[in-house]
Amino acid sequence: GSEMCIRDSTMKIAVITGASSGLGIEFLRAAVTLCPEIDTYWLIARREDRLEALKPQFPEKNLRPIALDLTDSAALKQFNALLEREKPEISLLINNAGFGKLCDFATSDVESQTAMIDLNCRALTAVTRYSQSYMKTGGLILNISSIASFAPTPRMAVYCSTKAYVQSFSRALREELKPKKINVLAVCPGPMITEFWQVADRPTHKSRTLDMLPHQSPAKMATCALKAGLKGKSACTMGGFYKFYRFLAHILPKSLLMKWTKC
């Protein structure tokens, strides 16, 4: 009611994409704890019912479900129109929406391969560009990359390439936004227990490499990444194993790394 009207003049909001499950929900949880000044969250995902179901978990915050399929260019324009209409101040943007497919490229489904580029790169770029116009000094952008961005990964050729894009984009944008004191951080999780693997067709495409790798907690990853972003860091990789892998990826030839990383 009237309280909302007062807030709206300088409404500080967070925008989280891919907010309906897994890491997205954990980022919401982490932000509620670590960013108490934010009271309104725009949660973007395709499944509105899943977003609505989050409201009782955070009664002290104003959660706004926004049902959009970000692979659709019309949905991206819709998001921009919403920003133009409401002119909020975006304190925090978390580009979490993304998916991967584990398969041989030669026999892959073309639609799913190009949809990865649409969501992981195109949508992330558009949402960041639109949002950035509404960010002020002290704002923070978290872009979800992956340990898959460190080296090309056979059988995840398109996915790891999209994540390398996110990594490169985040670094360059961070440098551009330094004068405005807006930080950009690339989050690089290892494998996590989330719905990601159902989408990636893990059950039908077994992977010895992925089964051997240490799996990470989405809750710990979200907290670690948000803390790193608030401290002004440029990247967040969690755990000694993956930090060592990041170091190796800098010094070893990619041809050698690909022999190890093949899924």
Side-chain angles (χ1 to χ4, degrees), residues 202 205-213 259 262-263:
R202 244 336 259 308
H205 295 83
K206 290 289 175 199
S207 168
R208 195 170 54 87
T209 308
L210 288 172
D211 289 338
M212 280 165 49
L213 291 174
K259 285 183 171 59
K262 186 174 183 179
C263 288

Side-chain angles (χ1 to χ4, degrees), residues 135-136 138-141 174 177-178 180-184:
M135 297 187 91
K136 293 184 179 161
L140 174 61
I141 299 169
R174 180 173 185 264
L177 294 181
K178 266 185 183 173
K180 292 186 173 178
K181 294 188 167 55
I182 294 170
N183 189 34
V184 184

